[in-house]
Amino acid sequence: MQINPGRTKHLETFELMQKNSEPLKKVNSRIVIGFPPVEKKLLTIGIASVQHPQGSYLLATLQSLFFASSSSERKHFIVLVHLADPDPKWLSQMISNISTLFKPYIQARQLVVINTPLKSYLSLKDLKKNFNDIPAYVAFPSKQNMDYAFLMNFATNHSDYFLMIEDDVKCAPGFVTQIATTVSAWENKHWVTLEFSQLGFIGKLFHARDLPRFVHFLLLFHQEMPGDCLLSHFHDLLMQEPRIHFFPSLFQHIDNYSSFEGKFNSLEDKEFKENDIGSPSNPAASIYTNLNVPHDSVLINAYSLDRNFFYAKSAEAGSHLTVVLDIPAEVFRVQVLTGSDLKGKNWLKEGHVELGFDCTNRINDCDDYILLGLLVNGSLNKQVLSNESGKKVKCVRLLVTATSPSGIVVRHINLWTK
């Protein structure tokens, strides 16, 4: 109020709301995957996700979360995803993909996915314009603020702390233990949020008890500014100043396209330390395909470690390119790169990668495949989660899931093995 007397009315309104700051009663968020935990956890990790023009990184984010955590760490947190896009086709596809890829975590009550119907949202019509913004630029952060609010509202009673990340990040190994250690050290100090990333709403840790107040704050000022900016004002109200940020950052932004601005944006956290996994090993293998291959295209180029590439004239749904290892190996990372440039030319638009096991009496294929992940922008770069059965990988299959009448270029299929 001293800094900006014009905010007095907003502050008075907000203070009145705090007298009954319970979880919202009229929001009909529903669980579409999984079950809430039986016992209260230390941490809820929240993600609000919508459809992106350049493809979704949500599956990669989820895999990074679970891969960067040990089995003992996973006992202390729940991942809560709010699928907040109104497109029913996208919602159905994401539910299917998450259910398939993360079944063990769903069964262990470590992953819950929710959706909130549009009737629970405030109107996005006739929104207040700030700084001569066009209507779309006002609507996007306003809708996003409500996405966050409904996510946090659902999360209120499931844990002691709530960690907000976005749907396009990768995580540092052991981030849960590092956060738990930090919380313990700050147990007797006043804080509103502890920050484990410098970027936007990524890596912001709240007391779960503060979530109802912040939910009301987001809804009260949803059309004023983006959520990460509102968070600074929330700090003012609860008397935290300055920001409390820890180094190195535990989360890194991986998407280079801004849905809000509608353009490419190379936003990254300079304080995130990347682990060096070295160069791919690509052990000896044979390559097989039923793609339409021209005479001058060499199939092995898709797997070689040099700069050559493999080209196919077209790709029918169901066609494949399969790497069959001479000796089964323990693969811990797979990278697939398609396309001749970064603008989408000759990308495989729709496809996924599978790992094959139990190659019994079959020379050029495997009997048992599991889905590793979907291509995003024509590429995949995934950690392979440890397999408790101890099976070694024999086959890596790139499968086309929608016909691509134009040619596709496969630049690399790279494997890292132990």
Side-chain angles (χ1 to χ4, degrees):
M1 293 172 66
Q2 292 175 346
I3 295 172
N4 186 351
R7 288 169 55 198
T8 301
K9 184 177 180 181
H10 292 315
L11 286 169
E12 290 175 350
T13 303
F14 182 67
E15 287 168 355
L16 288 173
M17 294 176 68
Q18 304 319 296
K19 295 180 180 179
N20 187 25
S21 186
E22 299 178 0
L24 302 179
K25 305 296 186 183
K26 297 181 181 180
V27 176
N28 190 28
S29 299
R30 61 189 179 97
I31 295 177
V32 293
I33 299 176
F35 304 92
V38 176
E39 298 178 349
K40 198 171 187 179
K41 302 288 186 177
L42 172 71
L43 181 66
T44 297
I45 302 171
I47 305 171
S49 184
V50 296
Q51 197 168 183
H52 297 284
Q54 300 298 311
S56 173
Y57 287 89
L58 174 60
L59 300 179
T61 298
L62 290 174
Q63 188 178 46
S64 179
L65 276 171
F66 289 117
F67 188 86
S69 309
S70 67
S71 58
S72 60
E73 287 175 322
R74 289 195 290 270
K75 294 177 182 178
H76 299 288
F77 71 80
I78 175 177
V79 178
L80 179 63
V81 178
H82 182 200
L83 296 179
D85 197 287
D87 181 358
K89 183 178 179 181
W90 178 84
L91 178 63
S92 177
Q93 186 62 57
M94 292 306 299
I95 291 174
S96 175
N97 292 340
I98 293 172
S99 298
T100 300
L101 285 171
F102 301 98
K103 185 176 180 180
Y105 307 108
I106 296 168
Q107 292 176 335
R109 294 178 179 256
Q110 294 167 351
L111 174 61
V112 176
V113 180
I114 64 171
N115 172 255
T116 306
L118 280 177
K119 65 182 181 181
S120 295
Y121 283 76
L122 301 171
S123 174
L124 293 174
K125 296 180 180 179
D126 301 320
L127 294 172
K128 176 183 175 181
K129 292 184 179 181
N130 297 306
F131 311 111
N132 298 317
D133 283 336
I134 63 174
Y137 278 20
V138 177
F140 183 88
S142 297
K143 164 69 165 50
Q144 190 177 59
N145 284 337
M146 289 185 275
D147 295 341
Y148 293 154
F150 298 149
L151 169 71
M152 293 178 176
N153 182 66
F154 193 92
T156 298
N157 297 317
H158 296 311
S159 61
D160 296 322
Y161 301 96
F162 176 86
L163 177 71
M164 186 73 201
I165 65 172
E166 295 181 4
D167 64 352
D168 51 2
V169 304
K170 56 185 172 183
C171 312
F175 73 93
V176 174
T177 296
Q178 295 182 66
I179 289 174
T181 302
T182 303
V183 166
S184 179
W186 280 71
E187 184 176 5
N188 298 318
K189 301 177 182 179
H190 172 71
W191 57 271
V192 179
T193 61
L194 303 180
E195 303 188 21
F196 297 93
S197 171
Q198 297 185 102
L199 303 179
F201 231 149
I202 300 172
K204 305 303 184 278
L205 185 76
F206 296 77
H207 292 281
R209 63 174 182 263
D210 287 336
L211 291 181
R213 289 190 286 187
F214 190 54
V215 165
H216 284 293
F217 192 73
L218 285 171
L219 295 178
L220 181 63
F221 300 110
H222 71 280
Q223 60 178 306
E224 297 294 331
M225 60 189 70
D228 54 332
C229 298
L230 284 175
L231 181 58
S232 296
H233 294 286
F234 189 67
H235 286 165
D236 293 342
L237 288 169
L238 298 190
M239 300 173 62
Q240 174 185 306
E241 193 177 355
R243 293 167 58 185
I244 305 169
H245 183 225
F246 296 91
F247 299 95
S249 296
L250 299 181
F251 306 95
Q252 179 62 287
H253 186 253
I254 58 176
D255 191 4
N256 61 359
Y257 185 85
S258 170
S259 299
F260 174 46
E261 297 177 349
K263 61 185 180 182
F264 285 95
N265 183 355
S266 58
L267 185 66
E268 65 176 30
D269 192 329
K270 302 296 185 184
E271 296 299 329
F272 182 85
K273 305 302 181 185
E274 190 79 65
N275 286 341
D276 183 11
I277 60 170
S279 301
S281 50
N282 285 17
S286 300
I287 319 296
Y288 302 91
T289 189
N290 59 357
L291 292 164
N292 184 2
V293 184
H295 294 297
D296 58 350
S297 184
V298 180
L299 186 56
I300 194 64
N301 285 346
Y303 188 63
S304 66
L305 293 173
D306 55 29
R307 294 188 176 183
N308 292 323
F309 60 86
F310 166 73
Y311 173 75
K313 290 181 178 179
S314 61
E316 299 292 328
S319 55
H320 71 92
L321 191 156
T322 303
V323 176
V324 182
L325 301 182
D326 291 354
I327 301 174
E330 192 173 345
V331 178
F332 68 87
R333 179 179 284 272
V334 175
Q335 179 189 58
V336 175
L337 300 175
T338 73
S340 54
D341 58 31
L342 297 177
K343 297 181 180 179
K345 187 176 181 181
N346 300 124
W347 278 357
L348 176 56
K349 299 295 190 297
E350 295 188 45
H352 65 242
V353 177
E354 301 171 331
L355 302 181
F357 308 90
D358 296 336
C359 188
T360 306
N361 298 322
R362 303 183 70 175
I363 298 175
N364 60 355
D365 203 358
C366 288
D367 298 321
D368 180 25
Y369 281 95
I370 63 169
L371 178 65
L372 176 62
L374 310 180
L375 295 188
V376 176
N377 295 338
S379 66
L380 173 142
N381 191 350
K382 286 287 183 72
Q383 303 274 10
V384 178
L385 296 176
S386 58
N387 192 321
E388 294 179 359
S389 66
K391 288 183 179 180
K392 293 185 177 181
V393 173
K394 177 70 176 179
C395 304
V396 178
R397 180 165 68 183
L398 173 61
L399 190 68
V400 179
T401 55
T403 298
S404 178
S406 58
I408 65 167
V409 167
V410 180
R411 287 189 286 152
H412 294 295
I413 298 179
N414 289 331
L415 309 181
W416 282 258
T417 60
K418 294 182 181 178

